Amino acid sequence: MSVELIERRRAAIRKHVFLLCPNNSGSTFLSKAIGTSPAVWSLAREGQHTFGYAGPSTIASPWPLIWYADEESTAYFRDHPEFDWERTKRAWYLQASAENDTAPVFMTKSPPFLLIADKLMANFASTSFLFMVRNPYAAMEGVLRRPRRTGDAGAGPDLPRIAAQHFVNCLRQQKANIAAYGDNSIAFTYEELCASPEKIAARIADLVPELAGIDLTQKLSVKQAYDEPLRNMNEQQIGRLTAEQIKVANEIFCPNADILSHFDYDLIE
């Protein structure tokens, strides 16, 4: 029965949409909001955390939130030997949910997928990307605030520097993604999404007409921590950073001011 179900869904799905965004940057709200569209098949969890996904997962790694900080972690998520996209499709299609069995769009997200847009494009039909970034100071604060587990590669006093390098690398990769897949994508910032959700919804619908009518102003529960409409939380998150954390982060951000500026982000003195 599951094989028949997978094949019915495979036949119904005509487009694949991947939200590629660094972690701690607002992608959970956006993906949940898009998932409320009657045209969308979506997953209860990130694609990388869905049972049966054949590839590297942040949960099973030493780099749950800093997976792009160095060559070792990057290779783990970009060149992992266990990638099996046919097996992954079966797992995703079987566990996806939609309002009706004829929904034409499959959508998912996983932060490390930012590293493998080429693999997604090569293995999924009619692929579109939503590229989003966020102020790296605010995103970094989310990493620093999360309790570390034993064995995390970033545990310890050097985490602000490691996290800053991670987000600089994410911004540079996102710039490259946007340049490479401009015909199959739209790009925007978390700040633009918060300020003009109707405008971003319209741009998404321009890219994928089946998603016309999505509501990015709705109240949604996110990570069991928020149950509210999307709002820009940068000020309060950056306000929680200590002067020392900012100083250490700036040892990375200052020499990379060009990529922050590319996305209209300023250095904090």
Side-chain angles (χ1 to χ4, degrees), residues 4-19 31-45 47 50 89 91-109 208 210-211:
E4 295 176 2
L5 183 61
I6 291 169
E7 291 309 313
R8 285 202 302 269
R9 293 179 177 180
R10 190 191 297 267
I13 294 168
R14 300 192 300 273
K15 294 184 179 180
H16 296 83
V17 176
F18 294 96
L19 169 55
S31 64
K32 290 188 72 169
I34 295 172
T36 64
S37 166
V40 169
W41 291 97
S42 61
L43 299 166
R45 309 180 72 193
T50 298
K89 287 178 190 178
W92 283 355
Y93 294 164
L94 178 62
Q95 295 172 75
S97 60
E99 287 190 12
N100 62 78
D101 289 340
T102 61
V105 178
F106 176 88
M107 184 276 303
T108 190
K109 67 102 173 181
V208 185
E210 292 86 349
L211 299 184

Side-chain angles (χ1 to χ4, degrees), residues 127-140:
T127 297
S128 297
F129 296 117
L130 308 180
F131 296 126
M132 185 168 72
V133 296
R134 184 186 184 186
N135 184 298
Y137 290 97
M140 182 186 74

